[in-house]
């Protein structure tokens, strides 16, 4: 009874209104703080940015585009059943068409748009709910497990302990996600088989491989930023920072939380604040890639209509 009351509270309109207002308020505060830091640190930033290698920035954009090409495999796999198959082409069109919705305040509109499109294709609400749950749970579980393992290995007390907690939490999430979906979300012929679930994990893993590669290329574009930590450490720190940013539900897309965590993990040759501002610039790479995929996909949408 107590557990039911907790779930009812989380689903209540009052709580949703509070969460929505908090997220809308946190976003401009976080962005404003990053802009303020960029302005106050313009001297040290200018020195680093003056040596920027544009080729690596372009390569970073293309790798993030690659992540977008991999992402629809998850929805195609998790939503398809023997009696109703969702093709990769359909999943990609729905994914690409709703990309710009990521930038609507609130941080959930890309998901809302895809849910509406899949619903228009006759998919049951339970199957769509299972996909949404898997998309979020696998993203968090994989980033926490891989990132946590890396940080646990490379760092000592403090962040190493957080990495260990993230690693075990991620493993539990990977083990439990399919059970939760099949037990409480879908039923009968809509249950997710072990083979499909394995394919979903592989798809999400490839997505994050592209995402990490894009971030490493972004960092490599600044030769004046002499990092003493290894690329493997940076990749693990990136994954853990993203996972922790996702868990911070009050911060849309982890803005502020992601930058602060990652800056603490990799900052050495530059002040912490300067590192955080440079890291935040990676969101411009993501924006360029998102926009490119959306524009490149418009002819596909036009033909389908």
């Amino acid at each position: 009874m107590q557990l039911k009351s907790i779930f009812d509270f989380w689903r209540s309109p009052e709580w949703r209104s509070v969460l929505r207002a908090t997220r809308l308020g946190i976003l401009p505060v976080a962005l404003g703080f990053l802009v303020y830091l960029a302005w106050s640190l313009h001297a040290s930033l200018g020195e680093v940015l003056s040596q920027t290698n544009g080729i690596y920035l372009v390569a970073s954009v293309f790798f993030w585009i690659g992540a977008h090409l991999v992402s629809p495999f998850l929805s195609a796999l998790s939503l398809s059943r023997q009696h109703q198959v969702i093709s990769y082409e359909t999943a990609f069109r729905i994914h690409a068409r709703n990309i710009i919705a990521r930038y609507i305040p609130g941080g959930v509109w890309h998901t809302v748009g895809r849910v509406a499109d899949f619903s228009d294709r006759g998919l049951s609400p339970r199957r769509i709910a299972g996909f949404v749950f898997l998309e979020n749970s696998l993203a968090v579980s994989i980033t926490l497990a891989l990132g946590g393992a890396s940080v646990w290995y490379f760092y000592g007390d403090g962040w190493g302990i957080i990495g260990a907690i993230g690693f075990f939490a991620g493993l539990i999430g990977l083990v439990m996600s399919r059970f939760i979906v099949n037990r409480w979300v879908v039923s009968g012929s809509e249950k997710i088989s072990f083979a499909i679930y394995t394919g979903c994990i592989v798809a999400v893993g490839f997505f994050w491989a592209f995402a990490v590669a894009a971030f490493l290329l972004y960092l490599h574009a600044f030769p004046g930023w002499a990092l003493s930590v290894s690329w493997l450490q940076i990749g693990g720190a990136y994954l853990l920072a993203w996972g922790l940013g996702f868990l911070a539900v009050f911060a849309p897309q982890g803005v502020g939380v992601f930058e602060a965590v990652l800056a603490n993990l990799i900052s050495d040759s530059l002040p912490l604040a300067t590192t955080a501002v440079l890291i935040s610039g990676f969101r411009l790479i993501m924006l360029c890639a998102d926009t490119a995929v959306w524009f490149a996909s418009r002819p596909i949408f036009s033909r389908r209509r």
Side-chain angles (χ1 to χ4, degrees):
M1 187 67 176
Q2 185 177 3
L3 183 61
K4 182 179 183 299
S5 300
I6 294 174
F7 280 122
D8 289 341
F9 169 75
W10 278 86
R11 290 197 299 262
S12 66
E14 294 79 11
W15 166 250
R16 291 180 181 274
S17 298
V18 170
L19 181 60
R20 187 181 303 112
T22 302
R23 289 167 66 91
L24 289 174
I26 286 292
L27 181 60
V29 171
L31 291 176
F33 182 67
L34 289 173
V35 170
Y36 167 75
L37 283 179
W39 172 254
S40 61
L41 300 169
H42 65 276
S44 56
L45 281 173
E47 183 178 347
V48 175
L49 295 177
S50 64
Q51 305 175 48
T52 302
N53 189 324
I55 295 177
Y56 286 107
L57 293 180
V58 173
S60 179
V61 171
F62 275 103
F63 266 84
W64 194 260
I65 290 174
H68 279 306
L69 297 177
V70 172
S71 183
F73 280 110
L74 173 63
S75 53
L77 284 169
S78 62
L79 290 170
S80 292
R81 300 295 186 274
Q82 289 183 346
H83 60 283
Q84 190 176 23
V85 175
I86 299 298
S87 68
Y88 170 81
E89 180 189 0
T90 298
F92 174 75
R93 285 192 290 108
I94 290 175
H95 172 83
R97 178 165 56 194
N98 291 284
I99 279 181
I100 299 302
R102 291 175 183 271
Y103 301 96
I104 300 176
V108 299
W109 299 109
H110 182 233
T111 299
V112 170
R114 288 179 296 151
V115 166
D117 284 345
F118 284 127
S119 180
D120 289 342
R121 281 158 177 76
L123 296 177
S124 70
R126 284 183 172 270
R127 201 191 311 181
I128 296 174
F131 153 66
V132 173
F133 178 83
L134 281 182
E135 181 179 57
N136 289 279
S137 66
L138 288 182
V140 175
S141 298
I142 287 176
T143 53
L144 289 181
L146 295 179
S150 174
V151 172
W152 186 17
Y153 177 80
F154 285 111
Y155 295 81
D157 294 339
W159 282 111
I161 296 174
I162 295 175
I165 295 172
F167 170 69
F168 287 111
L171 285 185
I172 293 172
L174 288 174
V175 172
M176 294 298 297
S177 290
R178 174 172 172 260
F179 172 77
I180 292 173
V181 169
N182 286 343
R183 178 66 176 82
W184 286 295
V185 182
V186 299
S187 59
S189 62
E190 293 191 333
K191 288 189 175 183
I192 295 175
S193 67
F194 180 76
I196 289 178
Y197 185 63
T198 301
C200 291
I201 293 176
V202 171
V204 176
F206 270 103
F207 170 87
W208 285 108
F210 274 95
V212 168
F215 183 69
L216 292 178
L217 285 166
Y218 170 77
L219 294 187
H220 207 66
F222 308 108
W225 187 1
L227 290 168
S228 61
V229 292
S230 69
W231 297 112
L232 188 59
Q233 283 180 261
I234 295 173
Y238 172 86
L239 290 174
L240 181 63
W242 191 94
L244 295 177
F246 184 91
L247 292 176
V249 296
F250 55 84
Q253 300 184 40
V255 174
V257 177
F258 166 77
E259 287 81 4
V261 171
L262 189 51
N264 273 280
L265 286 169
I266 70 173
S267 177
D268 51 3
S269 60
L270 291 175
L272 181 65
T274 306
T275 303
V277 172
L278 283 171
I279 291 171
S280 68
F282 183 65
R283 293 186 183 273
L284 295 176
I285 297 293
M286 298 166 61
L287 174 60
C288 291
D290 293 352
T291 305
V293 171
W294 187 79
F295 273 112
S297 304
R298 299 308 295 171
I300 299 176
F301 305 153
S302 299
R303 286 200 302 271
R304 287 296 175 182
R305 282 197 294 267

PDB file of all heavy atoms in Angstrom, residues 43 47 65 81 84 87 93 143 149 166 179-180 185 198 205 223 236-237:
ATOM      1  N   ALA A  43      40.090  35.244 -21.287  1.00  0.00           N
ATOM      2  CA  ALA A  43      41.529  35.306 -21.584  1.00  0.00           C
ATOM      3  C   ALA A  43      42.121  33.913 -21.721  1.00  0.00           C
ATOM      4  O   ALA A  43      42.776  33.586 -22.722  1.00  0.00           O
ATOM      5  CB  ALA A  43      42.247  36.089 -20.493  1.00  0.00           C
ATOM      6  N   GLU A  47      43.188  31.710 -25.305  1.00  0.00           N
ATOM      7  CA  GLU A  47      44.493  31.094 -25.578  1.00  0.00           C
ATOM      8  C   GLU A  47      44.331  29.671 -26.078  1.00  0.00           C
ATOM      9  O   GLU A  47      45.025  29.233 -26.996  1.00  0.00           O
ATOM     10  CB  GLU A  47      45.337  31.112 -24.303  1.00  0.00           C
ATOM     11  CG  GLU A  47      46.749  30.568 -24.502  1.00  0.00           C
ATOM     12  CD  GLU A  47      47.573  30.648 -23.225  1.00  0.00           C
ATOM     13  OE1 GLU A  47      47.125  31.345 -22.278  1.00  0.00           O
ATOM     14  OE2 GLU A  47      48.634  30.016 -23.180  1.00  0.00           O
ATOM     15  N   ILE A  65      26.716  12.335 -35.734  1.00  0.00           N
ATOM     16  CA  ILE A  65      25.733  11.937 -36.741  1.00  0.00           C
ATOM     17  C   ILE A  65      25.670  10.412 -36.818  1.00  0.00           C
ATOM     18  O   ILE A  65      24.592   9.815 -36.941  1.00  0.00           O
ATOM     19  CB  ILE A  65      26.092  12.538 -38.117  1.00  0.00           C
ATOM     20  CG1 ILE A  65      25.873  14.053 -38.104  1.00  0.00           C
ATOM     21  CG2 ILE A  65      25.262  11.899 -39.233  1.00  0.00           C
ATOM     22  CD1 ILE A  65      26.341  14.755 -39.365  1.00  0.00           C
ATOM     23  N   ARG A  81       7.580  -7.105 -33.301  1.00  0.00           N
ATOM     24  CA  ARG A  81       7.158  -8.441 -32.908  1.00  0.00           C
ATOM     25  C   ARG A  81       6.845  -9.225 -34.177  1.00  0.00           C
ATOM     26  O   ARG A  81       6.797  -8.663 -35.266  1.00  0.00           O
ATOM     27  CB  ARG A  81       5.921  -8.392 -32.004  1.00  0.00           C
ATOM     28  CG  ARG A  81       6.114  -7.623 -30.707  1.00  0.00           C
ATOM     29  CD  ARG A  81       7.138  -8.289 -29.788  1.00  0.00           C
ATOM     30  NE  ARG A  81       7.185  -7.595 -28.495  1.00  0.00           N
ATOM     31  CZ  ARG A  81       7.924  -6.541 -28.232  1.00  0.00           C
ATOM     32  NH1 ARG A  81       8.685  -6.010 -29.193  1.00  0.00           N
ATOM     33  NH2 ARG A  81       7.928  -5.991 -27.037  1.00  0.00           N
ATOM     34  N   GLN A  84       4.021  -7.726 -36.108  1.00  0.00           N
ATOM     35  CA  GLN A  84       4.121  -6.310 -36.475  1.00  0.00           C
ATOM     36  C   GLN A  84       5.575  -5.866 -36.358  1.00  0.00           C
ATOM     37  O   GLN A  84       6.111  -5.744 -35.260  1.00  0.00           O
ATOM     38  CB  GLN A  84       3.233  -5.458 -35.569  1.00  0.00           C
ATOM     39  CG  GLN A  84       3.082  -4.020 -36.033  1.00  0.00           C
ATOM     40  CD  GLN A  84       2.116  -3.249 -35.157  1.00  0.00           C
ATOM     41  OE1 GLN A  84       1.889  -3.600 -34.013  1.00  0.00           O
ATOM     42  NE2 GLN A  84       1.530  -2.195 -35.701  1.00  0.00           N
ATOM     43  N   SER A  87      10.426  -1.308 -39.193  1.00  0.00           N
ATOM     44  CA  SER A  87      11.682  -1.324 -39.939  1.00  0.00           C
ATOM     45  C   SER A  87      12.637  -0.259 -39.426  1.00  0.00           C
ATOM     46  O   SER A  87      12.222   0.721 -38.790  1.00  0.00           O
ATOM     47  CB  SER A  87      11.415  -1.100 -41.431  1.00  0.00           C
ATOM     48  OG  SER A  87      10.943   0.222 -41.648  1.00  0.00           O
ATOM     49  N   ARG A  93      13.226   7.527 -39.546  1.00  0.00           N
ATOM     50  CA  ARG A  93      12.434   8.696 -39.942  1.00  0.00           C
ATOM     51  C   ARG A  93      11.773   9.337 -38.735  1.00  0.00           C
ATOM     52  O   ARG A  93      11.755  10.568 -38.598  1.00  0.00           O
ATOM     53  CB  ARG A  93      11.373   8.302 -40.976  1.00  0.00           C
ATOM     54  CG  ARG A  93      11.943   8.056 -42.364  1.00  0.00           C
ATOM     55  CD  ARG A  93      10.855   7.959 -43.418  1.00  0.00           C
ATOM     56  NE  ARG A  93      10.060   6.742 -43.273  1.00  0.00           N
ATOM     57  CZ  ARG A  93       8.810   6.714 -42.829  1.00  0.00           C
ATOM     58  NH1 ARG A  93       8.202   7.835 -42.461  1.00  0.00           N
ATOM     59  NH2 ARG A  93       8.150   5.574 -42.744  1.00  0.00           N
ATOM     60  N   THR A 143      25.938   3.470 -19.328  1.00  0.00           N
ATOM     61  CA  THR A 143      26.877   4.556 -19.019  1.00  0.00           C
ATOM     62  C   THR A 143      27.401   4.445 -17.593  1.00  0.00           C
ATOM     63  O   THR A 143      28.597   4.665 -17.349  1.00  0.00           O
ATOM     64  CB  THR A 143      26.224   5.932 -19.225  1.00  0.00           C
ATOM     65  OG1 THR A 143      24.994   6.004 -18.480  1.00  0.00           O
ATOM     66  CG2 THR A 143      25.936   6.185 -20.700  1.00  0.00           C
ATOM     67  N   ALA A 149      33.010   1.623 -14.044  1.00  0.00           N
ATOM     68  CA  ALA A 149      34.141   0.690 -13.993  1.00  0.00           C
ATOM     69  C   ALA A 149      35.444   1.411 -14.297  1.00  0.00           C
ATOM     70  O   ALA A 149      36.471   1.192 -13.639  1.00  0.00           O
ATOM     71  CB  ALA A 149      33.914  -0.455 -14.986  1.00  0.00           C
ATOM     72  N   GLY A 166      28.394   3.404  -9.184  1.00  0.00           N
ATOM     73  CA  GLY A 166      27.790   3.485 -10.504  1.00  0.00           C
ATOM     74  C   GLY A 166      27.914   2.179 -11.261  1.00  0.00           C
ATOM     75  O   GLY A 166      26.971   1.749 -11.946  1.00  0.00           O
ATOM     76  N   PHE A 179      13.442  -7.831 -17.037  1.00  0.00           N
ATOM     77  CA  PHE A 179      12.496  -8.416 -16.091  1.00  0.00           C
ATOM     78  C   PHE A 179      11.386  -7.431 -15.751  1.00  0.00           C
ATOM     79  O   PHE A 179      10.199  -7.794 -15.719  1.00  0.00           O
ATOM     80  CB  PHE A 179      13.226  -8.837 -14.817  1.00  0.00           C
ATOM     81  CG  PHE A 179      12.311  -9.265 -13.712  1.00  0.00           C
ATOM     82  CD1 PHE A 179      11.710 -10.513 -13.720  1.00  0.00           C
ATOM     83  CD2 PHE A 179      12.026  -8.397 -12.656  1.00  0.00           C
ATOM     84  CE1 PHE A 179      10.838 -10.895 -12.704  1.00  0.00           C
ATOM     85  CE2 PHE A 179      11.167  -8.773 -11.636  1.00  0.00           C
ATOM     86  CZ  PHE A 179      10.580 -10.027 -11.656  1.00  0.00           C
ATOM     87  N   ILE A 180      11.747  -6.178 -15.507  1.00  0.00           N
ATOM     88  CA  ILE A 180      10.751  -5.161 -15.154  1.00  0.00           C
ATOM     89  C   ILE A 180       9.764  -4.940 -16.297  1.00  0.00           C
ATOM     90  O   ILE A 180       8.547  -4.877 -16.091  1.00  0.00           O
ATOM     91  CB  ILE A 180      11.455  -3.838 -14.782  1.00  0.00           C
ATOM     92  CG1 ILE A 180      12.228  -4.003 -13.480  1.00  0.00           C
ATOM     93  CG2 ILE A 180      10.451  -2.693 -14.661  1.00  0.00           C
ATOM     94  CD1 ILE A 180      13.102  -2.818 -13.114  1.00  0.00           C
ATOM     95  N   VAL A 185       5.177  -4.153 -17.519  1.00  0.00           N
ATOM     96  CA  VAL A 185       4.809  -3.240 -18.603  1.00  0.00           C
ATOM     97  C   VAL A 185       4.092  -3.958 -19.728  1.00  0.00           C
ATOM     98  O   VAL A 185       2.971  -3.601 -20.095  1.00  0.00           O
ATOM     99  CB  VAL A 185       6.068  -2.506 -19.153  1.00  0.00           C
ATOM    100  CG1 VAL A 185       5.659  -1.512 -20.252  1.00  0.00           C
ATOM    101  CG2 VAL A 185       6.794  -1.773 -18.031  1.00  0.00           C
ATOM    102  N   THR A 198      19.218  -8.614 -25.871  1.00  0.00           N
ATOM    103  CA  THR A 198      20.660  -8.575 -26.138  1.00  0.00           C
ATOM    104  C   THR A 198      20.963  -7.629 -27.295  1.00  0.00           C
ATOM    105  O   THR A 198      21.920  -6.846 -27.251  1.00  0.00           O
ATOM    106  CB  THR A 198      21.184  -9.980 -26.459  1.00  0.00           C
ATOM    107  OG1 THR A 198      20.912 -10.863 -25.360  1.00  0.00           O
ATOM    108  CG2 THR A 198      22.690  -9.954 -26.713  1.00  0.00           C
ATOM    109  N   GLY A 205      25.044   0.127 -26.826  1.00  0.00           N
ATOM    110  CA  GLY A 205      26.487   0.151 -26.661  1.00  0.00           C
ATOM    111  C   GLY A 205      27.194   0.817 -27.834  1.00  0.00           C
ATOM    112  O   GLY A 205      28.115   1.620 -27.644  1.00  0.00           O
ATOM    113  N   PRO A 223      44.695  21.524 -29.144  1.00  0.00           N
ATOM    114  CA  PRO A 223      46.041  21.079 -28.754  1.00  0.00           C
ATOM    115  C   PRO A 223      46.621  21.886 -27.597  1.00  0.00           C
ATOM    116  O   PRO A 223      47.524  21.414 -26.903  1.00  0.00           O
ATOM    117  CB  PRO A 223      46.855  21.272 -30.037  1.00  0.00           C
ATOM    118  CG  PRO A 223      46.098  22.289 -30.836  1.00  0.00           C
ATOM    119  CD  PRO A 223      44.653  22.044 -30.513  1.00  0.00           C
ATOM    120  N   GLY A 236      35.717   6.984 -20.057  1.00  0.00           N
ATOM    121  CA  GLY A 236      34.964   6.490 -18.904  1.00  0.00           C
ATOM    122  C   GLY A 236      34.350   7.622 -18.102  1.00  0.00           C
ATOM    123  O   GLY A 236      33.198   7.527 -17.648  1.00  0.00           O
ATOM    124  N   ALA A 237      35.114   8.711 -17.924  1.00  0.00           N
ATOM    125  CA  ALA A 237      34.590   9.863 -17.185  1.00  0.00           C
ATOM    126  C   ALA A 237      33.403  10.476 -17.905  1.00  0.00           C
ATOM    127  O   ALA A 237      32.422  10.907 -17.273  1.00  0.00           O
ATOM    128  CB  ALA A 237      35.700  10.901 -17.001  1.00  0.00           C
TER     129      ALA A 237
END
